Amino acid sequence: MDLHIRFLDGAVIGVYVAAMVAIGFYFARRTETTEEYFVGNRSFPGWMIGLSMLGTVISSATFLALPAAAFTLDWRQLSVNLVLPFVAVLAIVVFIPFFRRGKLTSAFEYLGNRYGTGPRIYGTVSFVILQLIRMAQILFLVSIPLQLLTGWPFELVVLAAGVFIALYTIAGGIEAVIWTDVVQAVILMIGGVVCLICAEIDLPGGLGQVIEIGAGHGKFSLGSFEWNLNERTFWTVALLGVVTWVGIYSGDQNMVQRYVAARSLSSARKATALFSLIALPLWTLFFFVGTTLFVYYLEFPDPAVATLAADEVLPYFVLTRIPAGLAGLVVAAVLAATMSSLDSGINSISTVVTVDLMKPFLAKGRSDRYYLRMARWIAGTVTLLTVLGAIGFSHIEKESMNDVSLIVTSVFGGCLMGLFLLGFFSRRVDGTSALIAMALAIGFNIYLGLGLAGVLPANLTLPVHSYWSGALVNGLFIVLAYAVSRIRNAPTRDLTGLTVWTMGTRKRDGNGDDL
């Protein structure tokens, strides 16, 4: 494909890139402590945190992989996100107060307070691994349109994008991350709308044609409503959504770090409500973009499209059919979606490694300046690993990167969600019971992963779709942990303020947080 960057597109992208770098280095001068680097002195208003949540969760996987999923199949993967509003209510009422209590910085500090050292380390390591995989996927996706646009080798594009994002993230910490996230969230919303409008303007029948032809080809289907454990039915994907969103809201460091960076309990709750209200319509928009492109290329056949991978269709449309300037804005939106997720991931991993591993175990008793310096070195290492992972993703066969993302989350997510839920809702399960159940559940998780990878003979595998893995592993962990705690009948540590049953009468400060 003979694609090249137009001057006006390059100018728009250049202005966007320069603005992001300027924001990062401005906040770098104001960041002198780990409290500033990790949580920005806990001073952000709710609307800013809400938009930052949006930018963090909605990545290039949203901008590129959701349209790809709708283009090749239908809307069944939207079912993952349909449960979001219901889980958000649980987060607002139950989860957020736990993390606001005691001025925590890391989600896994709660696990340490609730269970002890073992679960805290497990949670930290599990989060880091999953985040590295997710970030590599995101960087891989954004490198597709950048390669088409620049003509550079894929590896060079990945390296350049990764280094650029790392510059302002490593320098500016959470303040740079949240301020850039706000700008990026707005840009990515505008970019999605531009894609949809540009495609529908060219279609003779406009929106009506998309709906008619899309419906005729089953493009709006949410999947079969039959109960089948082996297929991606509506119920299978929706259950994955429950596990995914409960896990994100209850213990994902990207989300928890924003709960605690808000200026008050009320601000954290407003932020979560704002994110939840905007996110679902935005995901629906990107699925509709994919269906619109399906109809578009039926109406205007293009031989080049048949040679493209599903994740390349939208970038190809942007670079060949959208006018100069607007195309640059859309590319900037794809960059924004990527940068807002990667900068959050880099900062969150740096936070948990420093707070949950360096301070209590690997480098105890050092100065705050030492930990700040180490946090920046950790962020640099994370960037390097992400770049290598993205290059690795380019050599993997896949239906779409959104499907890869869902499988990775389900298969490798372990029992982290169950660990947090038992912590919140059970007084009986102690650290030893949790560790015993974790060992068994992780073994079961490995067994499922080997079966899905085809390593085990078919007669030794469990006949379920990979999307069920997360629910099965977490469900098994919860049952085993509770059963072991009943058998052991061991006394637990002081759980005051650590479960919904032991919150007690709490004194609150002027921000609504526990003293």
Side-chain angles (χ1 to χ4, degrees):
M1 291 177 288
D2 184 20
L3 300 175
H4 60 278
I5 189 169
R6 295 166 289 192
F7 174 78
L8 194 54
D9 292 331
V12 171
I13 296 168
V15 168
Y16 164 75
V17 168
M20 295 303 100
V21 172
I23 291 173
F25 282 97
Y26 170 76
F27 285 107
R29 296 181 302 166
R30 297 165 36 132
T31 304
E32 298 180 351
T33 68
T34 54
E35 179 75 1
E36 292 169 338
Y37 193 76
F38 296 144
V39 291
N41 286 325
R42 308 175 195 269
S43 60
F44 296 100
W47 67 267
M48 186 179 291
I49 293 291
L51 289 178
S52 178
M53 288 177 175
L54 187 72
T56 297
V57 173
I58 295 181
S59 64
S60 57
T62 301
F63 213 109
L64 299 177
L66 296 192
F71 182 86
T72 57
L73 188 59
D74 52 32
W75 285 26
R76 71 186 59 192
Q77 292 182 9
L78 178 62
S79 304
V80 170
N81 300 319
L82 293 178
V83 303
L84 172 64
F86 305 101
V87 181
V89 173
L90 184 63
I92 290 169
V93 174
V94 178
F95 300 154
I96 293 175
F98 281 103
F99 296 110
R100 294 288 307 184
R101 176 188 173 278
K103 296 192 179 299
L104 300 180
T105 300
S106 159
F108 311 110
E109 288 179 280
Y110 169 79
L111 293 183
N113 294 336
R114 175 62 180 82
Y115 297 111
T117 300
R120 180 182 185 179
I121 293 176
Y122 164 75
T124 302
V125 173
S126 177
F127 171 78
V128 169
I129 292 172
L130 281 174
Q131 277 298 296
L132 286 173
I133 295 172
R134 175 177 180 266
M135 291 161 59
Q137 171 210 353
I138 292 169
L139 183 57
F140 163 76
L141 280 171
V142 77
S143 298
I144 295 172
L146 291 180
Q147 184 187 27
L148 292 174
L149 193 64
T150 63
W152 296 353
F154 185 83
E155 291 76 9
L156 181 59
V157 171
V158 170
L159 180 62
V163 169
F164 163 67
I165 294 165
L167 282 177
Y168 74 85
T169 305
I170 294 171
I174 194 66
E175 277 198 294
V177 168
I178 288 180
W179 276 99
T180 54
D181 280 356
V182 170
V183 176
Q184 289 158 353
V186 173
I187 292 175
L188 70 90
M189 287 188 280
I190 294 173
V193 172
V194 167
C195 288
L196 187 63
I197 291 175
C198 288
E200 291 193 358
I201 283 178
D202 286 347
L203 290 171
L207 177 62
Q209 184 179 0
V210 174
I211 294 174
E212 179 182 356
I213 295 178
H217 285 79
K219 287 293 179 178
F220 298 110
S221 171
L222 293 175
S224 169
F225 282 82
E226 295 181 1
W227 191 258
N228 187 333
L229 299 181
N230 293 305
E231 300 293 335
R232 277 186 299 185
T233 66
F234 171 83
W235 303 112
T236 295
V237 181
L239 179 65
L240 174 61
V242 172
V243 174
T244 298
W245 284 109
V246 170
I248 288 174
Y249 275 125
S250 67
D252 185 295
Q253 176 64 18
N254 288 305
M255 196 65 74
V256 171
Q257 202 162 342
R258 279 149 184 79
Y259 297 160
V260 300
R263 62 169 53 139
S264 67
L265 175 62
S266 175
S267 295
R269 285 172 161 164
K270 288 176 182 176
T272 305
L274 176 64
F275 159 69
S276 302
L277 287 173
I278 298 175
L280 185 55
L282 192 58
W283 279 309
T284 305
L285 168 69
F286 282 105
F287 274 97
F288 201 85
V289 167
T291 302
T292 301
L293 290 178
F294 173 81
V295 175
Y296 186 93
Y297 285 114
L298 283 180
E299 181 71 27
F300 306 109
D302 185 337
V305 173
T307 68
L308 298 176
D311 298 312
E312 297 174 330
V313 174
L314 179 57
Y316 177 78
F317 172 80
V318 169
L319 297 176
T320 58
R321 302 288 182 145
I322 293 183
L326 282 179
L329 178 63
V330 175
V331 173
V334 178
L335 282 172
T338 300
M339 291 166 63
S340 58
S341 293
L342 291 183
D343 59 22
S344 297
I346 292 169
N347 186 263
S348 65
I349 292 177
S350 175
T351 299
V352 299
V353 172
T354 303
V355 171
D356 294 292
L357 297 180
M358 298 293 297
K359 283 188 175 181
F361 306 114
L362 302 179
K364 295 173 65 174
R366 304 296 183 92
S367 68
D368 189 73
R369 183 172 295 278
Y370 170 84
Y371 293 126
L372 178 60
R373 185 170 66 252
M374 288 305 301
R376 286 180 164 138
W377 275 105
I378 292 165
T381 303
V382 169
T383 303
L384 176 61
L385 294 174
T386 301
V387 167
L388 295 176
I391 294 172
F393 265 126
S394 68
H395 300 288
I396 298 175
E397 289 189 21
K398 56 266 177 190
E399 178 183 301
S400 80
M401 284 306 299
N402 192 54
D403 192 56
V404 172
S405 176
L406 295 176
I407 291 173
V408 165
T409 301
S410 184
V411 173
F412 297 102
C415 51
L416 200 53
M417 182 197 74
L419 198 59
F420 277 102
L421 291 185
L422 272 182
F424 296 147
F425 293 105
S426 169
R427 286 178 294 187
R428 174 173 292 277
V429 177
D430 65 333
T432 301
S433 300
L435 285 172
I436 294 170
M438 278 168 47
L440 296 171
I442 293 170
F444 180 61
N445 205 161
I446 293 171
Y447 158 73
L448 289 177
L450 292 174
L452 293 168
V455 176
L456 298 178
N459 62 333
L460 295 180
T461 61
L462 197 63
V464 296
H465 194 276
S466 59
Y467 286 8
W468 280 87
S469 299
L472 292 174
V473 172
N474 281 280
L476 178 65
F477 166 76
I478 291 172
V479 171
L480 288 174
Y482 197 78
V484 171
S485 70
R486 297 286 296 187
I487 294 170
R488 292 181 63 248
N489 199 26
T492 59
R493 61 178 62 199
D494 180 11
L495 298 181
T496 302
L498 295 174
T499 77
V500 296
W501 317 113
T502 57
M503 293 297 280
T505 302
R506 295 161 290 169
K507 294 182 180 180
R508 297 181 183 274
D509 60 20
N511 293 324
D513 293 314
D514 293 347
L515 290 171

Short mmCIF file of all heavy atoms in Angstrom, two decimals, residues 107-148:
data_model
loop_
_atom_site.label_atom_id
_atom_site.label_comp_id
_atom_site.label_asym_id
_atom_site.label_seq_id
_atom_site.Cartn_x
_atom_site.Cartn_y
_atom_site.Cartn_z
N ALA A 107 -3.17 -0.83 45.73
CA ALA A 107 -4.27 -1.76 46.01
C ALA A 107 -3.79 -2.92 46.87
O ALA A 107 -4.56 -3.46 47.69
CB ALA A 107 -4.84 -2.29 44.69
N PHE A 108 -2.53 -3.27 46.71
CA PHE A 108 -2.03 -4.48 47.36
C PHE A 108 -1.58 -4.23 48.80
O PHE A 108 -1.35 -5.18 49.54
CB PHE A 108 -0.93 -5.09 46.50
CG PHE A 108 -1.38 -5.21 45.07
CD1 PHE A 108 -0.84 -4.40 44.08
CD2 PHE A 108 -2.42 -6.07 44.74
CE1 PHE A 108 -1.30 -4.47 42.78
CE2 PHE A 108 -2.88 -6.15 43.43
CZ PHE A 108 -2.33 -5.34 42.45
N GLU A 109 -1.49 -2.97 49.18
CA GLU A 109 -1.33 -2.65 50.60
C GLU A 109 -2.55 -3.16 51.37
O GLU A 109 -2.42 -3.63 52.51
CB GLU A 109 -1.18 -1.15 50.81
CG GLU A 109 0.15 -0.57 50.36
CD GLU A 109 0.20 0.93 50.58
OE1 GLU A 109 -0.35 1.68 49.74
OE2 GLU A 109 0.79 1.35 51.60
N TYR A 110 -3.72 -3.06 50.75
CA TYR A 110 -4.93 -3.59 51.41
C TYR A 110 -4.79 -5.09 51.63
O TYR A 110 -5.12 -5.60 52.70
CB TYR A 110 -6.18 -3.29 50.57
CG TYR A 110 -7.39 -4.05 51.08
CD1 TYR A 110 -8.08 -3.60 52.20
CD2 TYR A 110 -7.79 -5.24 50.48
CE1 TYR A 110 -9.17 -4.32 52.71
CE2 TYR A 110 -8.87 -5.96 50.97
CZ TYR A 110 -9.55 -5.49 52.08
OH TYR A 110 -10.61 -6.21 52.59
N LEU A 111 -4.31 -5.82 50.62
CA LEU A 111 -4.14 -7.27 50.78
C LEU A 111 -3.16 -7.58 51.91
O LEU A 111 -3.35 -8.54 52.66
CB LEU A 111 -3.66 -7.90 49.47
CG LEU A 111 -4.63 -7.88 48.29
CD1 LEU A 111 -4.02 -8.62 47.10
CD2 LEU A 111 -5.98 -8.49 48.65
N GLY A 112 -2.11 -6.78 52.03
CA GLY A 112 -1.16 -6.98 53.13
C GLY A 112 -1.81 -6.76 54.48
O GLY A 112 -1.59 -7.53 55.42
N ASN A 113 -2.61 -5.70 54.59
CA ASN A 113 -3.30 -5.43 55.85
C ASN A 113 -4.33 -6.51 56.18
O ASN A 113 -4.52 -6.87 57.33
CB ASN A 113 -4.01 -4.07 55.78
CG ASN A 113 -3.04 -2.91 55.68
OD1 ASN A 113 -1.89 -3.03 56.09
ND2 ASN A 113 -3.48 -1.80 55.12
N ARG A 114 -4.98 -7.02 55.13
CA ARG A 114 -6.06 -7.99 55.35
C ARG A 114 -5.55 -9.41 55.55
O ARG A 114 -6.06 -10.14 56.41
CB ARG A 114 -7.01 -7.94 54.13
CG ARG A 114 -8.14 -8.95 54.10
CD ARG A 114 -9.09 -8.77 55.28
NE ARG A 114 -10.17 -9.75 55.22
CZ ARG A 114 -10.08 -10.99 55.63
NH1 ARG A 114 -8.94 -11.43 56.15
NH2 ARG A 114 -11.10 -11.81 55.55
N TYR A 115 -4.56 -9.84 54.77
CA TYR A 115 -4.12 -11.24 54.80
C TYR A 115 -2.68 -11.44 55.28
O TYR A 115 -2.35 -12.50 55.81
CB TYR A 115 -4.21 -11.86 53.41
CG TYR A 115 -5.59 -11.94 52.82
CD1 TYR A 115 -5.94 -11.15 51.72
CD2 TYR A 115 -6.53 -12.84 53.30
CE1 TYR A 115 -7.19 -11.24 51.14
CE2 TYR A 115 -7.79 -12.94 52.73
CZ TYR A 115 -8.11 -12.13 51.65
OH TYR A 115 -9.36 -12.22 51.08
N GLY A 116 -1.81 -10.49 54.99
CA GLY A 116 -0.40 -10.68 55.30
C GLY A 116 0.46 -10.61 54.05
O GLY A 116 0.01 -10.25 52.96
N THR A 117 1.71 -11.00 54.18
CA THR A 117 2.71 -10.79 53.13
C THR A 117 2.46 -11.59 51.86
O THR A 117 2.55 -11.06 50.75
CB THR A 117 4.11 -11.16 53.68
OG1 THR A 117 4.40 -10.33 54.80
CG2 THR A 117 5.17 -10.96 52.60
N GLY A 118 2.16 -12.90 51.98
CA GLY A 118 2.03 -13.77 50.81
C GLY A 118 1.02 -13.26 49.79
O GLY A 118 1.36 -13.08 48.60
N PRO A 119 -0.23 -13.03 50.17
CA PRO A 119 -1.21 -12.53 49.21
C PRO A 119 -0.84 -11.17 48.63
O PRO A 119 -1.13 -10.89 47.46
CB PRO A 119 -2.50 -12.45 50.04
CG PRO A 119 -2.33 -13.51 51.08
CD PRO A 119 -0.87 -13.45 51.43
N ARG A 120 -0.18 -10.33 49.43
CA ARG A 120 0.24 -9.02 48.92
C ARG A 120 1.25 -9.19 47.78
O ARG A 120 1.13 -8.53 46.73
CB ARG A 120 0.84 -8.19 50.05
CG ARG A 120 1.31 -6.81 49.62
CD ARG A 120 1.93 -6.04 50.78
NE ARG A 120 2.28 -4.68 50.40
CZ ARG A 120 2.82 -3.79 51.22
NH1 ARG A 120 3.06 -4.12 52.49
NH2 ARG A 120 3.12 -2.58 50.80
N ILE A 121 2.23 -10.05 47.98
CA ILE A 121 3.24 -10.26 46.94
C ILE A 121 2.61 -10.91 45.71
O ILE A 121 2.89 -10.53 44.57
CB ILE A 121 4.39 -11.13 47.48
CG1 ILE A 121 5.17 -10.35 48.56
CG2 ILE A 121 5.33 -11.55 46.35
CD1 ILE A 121 6.26 -11.15 49.21
N TYR A 122 1.73 -11.89 45.93
CA TYR A 122 1.06 -12.54 44.80
C TYR A 122 0.28 -11.52 43.99
O TYR A 122 0.34 -11.50 42.74
CB TYR A 122 0.10 -13.63 45.29
CG TYR A 122 -0.88 -14.06 44.22
CD1 TYR A 122 -0.48 -14.87 43.17
CD2 TYR A 122 -2.20 -13.62 44.25
CE1 TYR A 122 -1.36 -15.23 42.17
CE2 TYR A 122 -3.09 -13.99 43.26
CZ TYR A 122 -2.68 -14.79 42.22
OH TYR A 122 -3.56 -15.13 41.23
N GLY A 123 -0.48 -10.67 44.68
CA GLY A 123 -1.27 -9.66 43.98
C GLY A 123 -0.40 -8.72 43.17
O GLY A 123 -0.72 -8.40 42.02
N THR A 124 0.71 -8.29 43.74
CA THR A 124 1.61 -7.37 43.06
C THR A 124 2.20 -8.01 41.81
O THR A 124 2.18 -7.42 40.72
CB THR A 124 2.76 -6.95 44.01
OG1 THR A 124 2.20 -6.35 45.18
CG2 THR A 124 3.70 -5.98 43.33
N VAL A 125 2.71 -9.22 41.93
CA VAL A 125 3.35 -9.90 40.80
C VAL A 125 2.34 -10.21 39.71
O VAL A 125 2.59 -10.02 38.51
CB VAL A 125 4.06 -11.18 41.28
CG1 VAL A 125 4.58 -11.99 40.09
CG2 VAL A 125 5.20 -10.83 42.22
N SER A 126 1.15 -10.67 40.10
CA SER A 126 0.10 -10.97 39.13
C SER A 126 -0.30 -9.72 38.36
O SER A 126 -0.43 -9.75 37.13
CB SER A 126 -1.12 -11.54 39.86
OG SER A 126 -2.18 -11.78 38.95
N PHE A 127 -0.46 -8.61 39.06
CA PHE A 127 -0.82 -7.36 38.40
C PHE A 127 0.25 -6.93 37.41
O PHE A 127 -0.05 -6.53 36.28
CB PHE A 127 -1.04 -6.26 39.44
CG PHE A 127 -1.21 -4.89 38.84
CD1 PHE A 127 -2.41 -4.53 38.26
CD2 PHE A 127 -0.16 -3.99 38.84
CE1 PHE A 127 -2.56 -3.27 37.68
CE2 PHE A 127 -0.31 -2.73 38.26
CZ PHE A 127 -1.52 -2.37 37.68
N VAL A 128 1.51 -7.01 37.82
CA VAL A 128 2.60 -6.58 36.95
C VAL A 128 2.63 -7.40 35.67
O VAL A 128 2.75 -6.85 34.56
CB VAL A 128 3.95 -6.68 37.69
CG1 VAL A 128 5.11 -6.49 36.72
CG2 VAL A 128 4.02 -5.63 38.80
N ILE A 129 2.48 -8.71 35.77
CA ILE A 129 2.51 -9.57 34.58
C ILE A 129 1.37 -9.25 33.63
O ILE A 129 1.56 -9.08 32.42
CB ILE A 129 2.46 -11.06 35.00
CG1 ILE A 129 3.76 -11.45 35.71
CG2 ILE A 129 2.24 -11.96 33.79
CD1 ILE A 129 3.74 -12.83 36.32
N LEU A 130 0.15 -9.13 34.17
CA LEU A 130 -1.01 -8.84 33.33
C LEU A 130 -0.89 -7.47 32.68
O LEU A 130 -1.25 -7.29 31.50
CB LEU A 130 -2.29 -8.92 34.16
CG LEU A 130 -2.82 -10.32 34.43
CD1 LEU A 130 -4.01 -10.26 35.38
CD2 LEU A 130 -3.24 -11.00 33.14
N GLN A 131 -0.39 -6.48 33.43
CA GLN A 131 -0.24 -5.15 32.86
C GLN A 131 0.79 -5.14 31.73
O GLN A 131 0.59 -4.48 30.71
CB GLN A 131 0.18 -4.17 33.95
CG GLN A 131 -0.97 -3.62 34.76
CD GLN A 131 -1.95 -2.83 33.93
OE1 GLN A 131 -1.62 -1.79 33.37
NE2 GLN A 131 -3.18 -3.31 33.83
N LEU A 132 1.89 -5.86 31.90
CA LEU A 132 2.90 -5.91 30.85
C LEU A 132 2.33 -6.51 29.57
O LEU A 132 2.60 -6.01 28.46
CB LEU A 132 4.11 -6.70 31.32
CG LEU A 132 5.02 -6.01 32.35
CD1 LEU A 132 6.07 -6.98 32.87
CD2 LEU A 132 5.68 -4.78 31.74
N ILE A 133 1.54 -7.58 29.71
CA ILE A 133 0.92 -8.20 28.53
C ILE A 133 -0.06 -7.23 27.88
O ILE A 133 -0.07 -7.05 26.64
CB ILE A 133 0.20 -9.50 28.93
CG1 ILE A 133 1.21 -10.55 29.41
CG2 ILE A 133 -0.60 -10.05 27.75
CD1 ILE A 133 0.59 -11.80 29.98
N ARG A 134 -0.89 -6.57 28.69
CA ARG A 134 -1.88 -5.62 28.15
C ARG A 134 -1.18 -4.46 27.45
O ARG A 134 -1.58 -4.03 26.35
CB ARG A 134 -2.76 -5.10 29.28
CG ARG A 134 -3.76 -4.02 28.87
CD ARG A 134 -4.64 -3.61 30.03
NE ARG A 134 -5.58 -2.58 29.64
CZ ARG A 134 -5.39 -1.28 29.79
NH1 ARG A 134 -4.26 -0.86 30.35
NH2 ARG A 134 -6.30 -0.41 29.41
N MET A 135 -0.13 -3.94 28.06
CA MET A 135 0.56 -2.78 27.48
C MET A 135 1.26 -3.15 26.18
O MET A 135 1.29 -2.35 25.23
CB MET A 135 1.55 -2.22 28.50
CG MET A 135 0.87 -1.56 29.69
SD MET A 135 1.98 -1.39 31.12
CE MET A 135 3.28 -0.40 30.43
N ALA A 136 1.82 -4.34 26.12
CA ALA A 136 2.46 -4.78 24.88
C ALA A 136 1.44 -4.88 23.76
O ALA A 136 1.70 -4.51 22.61
CB ALA A 136 3.14 -6.13 25.10
N GLN A 137 0.25 -5.37 24.08
CA GLN A 137 -0.83 -5.47 23.10
C GLN A 137 -1.22 -4.09 22.60
O GLN A 137 -1.40 -3.87 21.38
CB GLN A 137 -2.03 -6.15 23.74
CG GLN A 137 -3.28 -6.10 22.89
CD GLN A 137 -4.54 -6.09 23.74
OE1 GLN A 137 -4.48 -6.25 24.96
NE2 GLN A 137 -5.67 -5.89 23.12
N ILE A 138 -1.36 -3.13 23.51
CA ILE A 138 -1.77 -1.78 23.15
C ILE A 138 -0.72 -1.12 22.26
O ILE A 138 -1.05 -0.49 21.24
CB ILE A 138 -2.01 -0.95 24.43
CG1 ILE A 138 -3.25 -1.47 25.17
CG2 ILE A 138 -2.16 0.53 24.09
CD1 ILE A 138 -3.40 -0.89 26.56
N LEU A 139 0.54 -1.26 22.62
CA LEU A 139 1.62 -0.65 21.83
C LEU A 139 1.68 -1.31 20.44
O LEU A 139 1.93 -0.62 19.44
CB LEU A 139 2.95 -0.79 22.56
CG LEU A 139 4.16 -0.14 21.89
CD1 LEU A 139 3.93 1.34 21.65
CD2 LEU A 139 5.41 -0.35 22.75
N PHE A 140 1.46 -2.61 20.37
CA PHE A 140 1.42 -3.29 19.08
C PHE A 140 0.34 -2.69 18.19
O PHE A 140 0.57 -2.40 17.01
CB PHE A 140 1.15 -4.79 19.30
CG PHE A 140 0.69 -5.50 18.05
CD1 PHE A 140 1.58 -5.82 17.04
CD2 PHE A 140 -0.65 -5.82 17.88
CE1 PHE A 140 1.15 -6.46 15.88
CE2 PHE A 140 -1.09 -6.45 16.73
CZ PHE A 140 -0.19 -6.78 15.73
N LEU A 141 -0.85 -2.48 18.75
CA LEU A 141 -1.97 -1.98 17.95
C LEU A 141 -1.72 -0.58 17.41
O LEU A 141 -2.01 -0.30 16.25
CB LEU A 141 -3.25 -1.99 18.79
CG LEU A 141 -3.95 -3.35 18.91
CD1 LEU A 141 -5.07 -3.27 19.94
CD2 LEU A 141 -4.50 -3.80 17.57
N VAL A 142 -1.18 0.31 18.24
CA VAL A 142 -0.98 1.67 17.75
C VAL A 142 0.12 1.72 16.70
O VAL A 142 0.16 2.63 15.86
CB VAL A 142 -0.65 2.63 18.91
CG1 VAL A 142 0.78 2.49 19.38
CG2 VAL A 142 -0.96 4.07 18.52
N SER A 143 1.01 0.76 16.72
CA SER A 143 2.11 0.76 15.76
C SER A 143 1.65 0.40 14.35
O SER A 143 2.35 0.67 13.38
CB SER A 143 3.21 -0.20 16.21
OG SER A 143 3.73 0.21 17.46
N ILE A 144 0.45 -0.19 14.24
CA ILE A 144 -0.07 -0.54 12.91
C ILE A 144 -0.32 0.70 12.06
O ILE A 144 0.23 0.83 10.96
CB ILE A 144 -1.35 -1.41 13.03
CG1 ILE A 144 -1.01 -2.75 13.68
CG2 ILE A 144 -1.99 -1.62 11.66
CD1 ILE A 144 -2.23 -3.58 14.02
N PRO A 145 -1.16 1.66 12.52
CA PRO A 145 -1.34 2.85 11.68
C PRO A 145 -0.08 3.69 11.56
O PRO A 145 0.14 4.34 10.53
CB PRO A 145 -2.46 3.64 12.42
CG PRO A 145 -2.42 3.14 13.82
CD PRO A 145 -2.02 1.70 13.72
N LEU A 146 0.76 3.69 12.59
CA LEU A 146 1.99 4.47 12.51
C LEU A 146 2.93 3.91 11.45
O LEU A 146 3.60 4.66 10.74
CB LEU A 146 2.68 4.50 13.87
CG LEU A 146 1.97 5.29 14.98
CD1 LEU A 146 2.78 5.23 16.26
CD2 LEU A 146 1.74 6.74 14.56
N GLN A 147 2.95 2.59 11.33
CA GLN A 147 3.80 1.99 10.30
C GLN A 147 3.25 2.32 8.91
O GLN A 147 4.02 2.64 7.98
CB GLN A 147 3.87 0.47 10.48
CG GLN A 147 4.82 -0.20 9.48
CD GLN A 147 4.76 -1.71 9.55
OE1 GLN A 147 3.73 -2.28 9.92
NE2 GLN A 147 5.84 -2.36 9.18
N LEU A 148 1.92 2.23 8.76
CA LEU A 148 1.31 2.58 7.48
C LEU A 148 1.59 4.04 7.13
O LEU A 148 1.82 4.39 5.97
CB LEU A 148 -0.20 2.34 7.52
CG LEU A 148 -0.68 0.89 7.61
CD1 LEU A 148 -2.18 0.85 7.80
CD2 LEU A 148 -0.27 0.11 6.37
#
